[in-house]
Amino acid sequence: MGERVLVAMSGGVDSSVAALLLQRQGFAVAGATFLLFDGQAGEAADAAAVCRVLGIPHHLLDYRGLFAREVMGRFAQAYLAGRTPNPCITCNRAVKFGAFLEDARRLGYRRIATGHYAHVQQDPATGLWQLWKSLQPQKDQSYVLYHLSQEQLEALELPLDALDKEQVRQLARQAGLPVHDKGDSQDICFVPDGDYAGFLRRSCGVQPREGQFVDGEGRVLGTHRGFWQYTIGQRRGLGLSLGRRMFVCRLDPAENRVVLGEEGALFSRQMQVEDLRMVDGRPLEEPLEAQVKIRYAHPPAPAVIHPLPDGRGARVEFQQPQRAATAGQAAVFYQGNRVLGGGTIR
């Protein structure tokens, strides 16, 4: 019997094929499905069905309290503070690689696995674990994994890295996995309709409160429905006719104001990040040249990262101005295809 590995199985095709491949590689595989919020019976049933086909155990791990507090709660708090958070990164940190690894060890599994598209390897010179972009650039998910610790990287298997999506589906089809044609999820799992304002109203009881659209000089341009219903860079859905293209440039929660400007006002050469985390686990002590992604779909841009004196943040200085750096989003640092670390845009 091979080494024991617990695979995070969402009921989708990627995590199902991850379990299949690890089983074929000789691991003693089991699946684990996370209960994150009510209404996930379908996902759990799909994952259990795959485990039955593979002949492996299936565990249900109840993280509903943790998820409500650390993911949904922080998501709501961030929006109400004028930030635009990435809850998938928060979930990965607190649940999918935090609590999950602890529970895997409790259940007797030394290794964990997911269906993410990225690559982990050990540096033979230093012994440190490294995170790299996927060999499939169109599927790369390294951006949402930048915060993984050395302990988590050492324990992690990512068996899908060399495959494209059609190959994954073909493997699932050939193995008779019932999810082989299941579609990919696109939205935030707890806001499947994409209506973030509706989620805040339902979860926090937040009601729309009118405020002012203003320009950079403070001149009133119109009335909005509540600052938390807008995001940096937004142009459509403002409900204004100003005779020129205007974009959301800043949110002012204290005054319930939304600052608008022309597109040029969205560009900046510098930003600060907080909650700095480097993949090698070492503090950043010297300026670092890297390519920086300021959102998931943003192309990496050359920059110099200057550590701040507090040791927990950094100032990022880009070679060229970048559009719509948004507080609450992740800034992830790369050198070529290697992930160096990242932080939250402040």
Side-chain angles (χ1 to χ4, degrees):
M1 185 67 70
E3 191 171 16
R4 303 183 78 201
V5 59
L6 190 59
V7 184
M9 297 182 66
S10 65
V13 66
D14 288 333
S15 56
S16 298
V17 171
L20 170 69
L21 292 175
L22 291 168
Q23 186 183 54
R24 290 180 175 178
Q25 291 170 20
F27 286 91
V29 178
T33 300
F34 307 155
L35 299 179
L36 303 178
F37 48 88
D38 294 334
Q40 291 182 282
E43 289 89 338
D46 286 346
V50 170
C51 289
R52 284 194 295 272
V53 172
L54 297 177
I56 62 175
H58 179 239
H59 302 273
L60 285 175
L61 301 178
D62 190 348
Y63 294 138
R64 285 175 291 187
L66 176 67
F67 189 81
R69 181 178 68 253
E70 295 296 325
V71 182
M72 292 193 290
R74 290 181 182 273
F75 176 85
Q77 291 169 8
Y79 256 101
L80 296 177
R83 298 157 74 90
T84 304
N86 188 321
C88 297
I89 290 177
T90 307
C91 181
N92 283 340
R93 180 182 301 172
V95 180
K96 292 182 180 176
F97 297 94
F100 178 44
L101 180 57
E102 292 179 6
D103 279 339
R105 297 275 169 80
R106 176 179 58 80
L107 292 168
Y109 297 90
R110 198 181 75 80
R111 306 196 66 72
I112 59 172
T114 73
H116 286 94
Y117 289 83
H119 178 65
V120 174
Q121 69 182 43
Q122 190 174 28
D123 182 349
T126 64
L128 295 173
W129 292 90
Q130 299 175 338
L131 176 66
W132 292 73
K133 288 183 181 180
S134 172
L135 298 175
Q136 303 294 329
Q138 72 277 11
K139 293 292 294 179
D140 175 55
Q141 294 174 302
S142 62
Y143 174 86
V144 298
L145 303 177
Y146 78 87
H147 53 79
L148 295 184
S149 68
Q150 285 289 301
E151 179 186 13
Q152 291 163 345
L153 289 170
E154 187 276 333
L156 180 60
E157 296 286 339
L158 298 174
L160 299 188
D161 183 46
L163 303 176
D164 62 33
K165 194 54 179 265
E166 184 48 44
Q167 290 173 313
V168 168
R169 291 197 182 279
Q170 184 177 4
L171 284 167
R173 195 176 301 115
Q174 292 170 345
L177 302 186
V179 298
H180 64 84
D181 60 351
K182 188 174 180 179
D184 294 337
S185 60
Q186 299 293 334
D187 299 303
I188 295 172
C189 64
F190 59 90
V191 194
D193 58 0
D195 182 6
Y196 305 142
F199 169 77
L200 293 173
R201 288 194 296 270
R202 294 189 301 271
S203 66
C204 303
V206 179
Q207 296 301 317
R209 183 168 64 91
E210 289 188 350
Q212 295 175 338
F213 284 117
V214 298
D215 65 14
E217 304 300 320
R219 292 184 288 263
V220 177
L221 302 175
T223 302
H224 64 67
R225 306 183 306 276
F227 74 88
W228 45 273
Q229 304 197 62
Y230 303 88
T231 57
I232 303 301
Q234 179 179 342
R235 179 172 70 88
R236 300 183 185 278
L238 301 180
L240 296 175
S241 180
L242 300 172
R244 63 191 191 279
R245 287 158 52 97
M246 296 288 277
F247 299 80
V248 175
C249 294
R250 186 165 57 86
L251 303 175
D252 183 351
E255 300 295 333
N256 191 25
R257 297 195 305 180
V258 177
V259 181
L260 304 181
E262 296 187 3
E263 189 167 20
L266 289 171
F267 286 82
S268 56
R269 291 192 62 151
Q270 293 191 31
M271 66 182 188
Q272 287 194 3
V273 297
E274 59 191 2
D275 194 19
L276 187 65
R277 294 170 184 250
M278 304 303 290
V279 172
D280 64 10
R282 300 168 176 171
L284 183 64
E285 297 178 337
E286 301 290 338
L288 176 68
E289 292 187 5
Q291 298 86 45
V292 179
K293 290 183 68 166
I294 59 174
R295 65 183 63 85
Y296 187 84
H298 188 270
V304 178
I305 302 154
H306 300 270
L308 295 178
D310 63 8
R312 297 188 297 273
R315 176 173 56 86
V316 179
E317 183 176 340
F318 292 100
Q319 287 186 10
Q320 300 294 329
Q322 300 299 302
R323 186 184 187 277
T326 303
Q329 290 286 295
V332 180
F333 316 145
Y334 295 83
Q335 281 185 345
N337 291 327
R338 181 183 164 197
V339 183
L340 303 179
T344 303
I345 299 173
R346 185 166 63 194

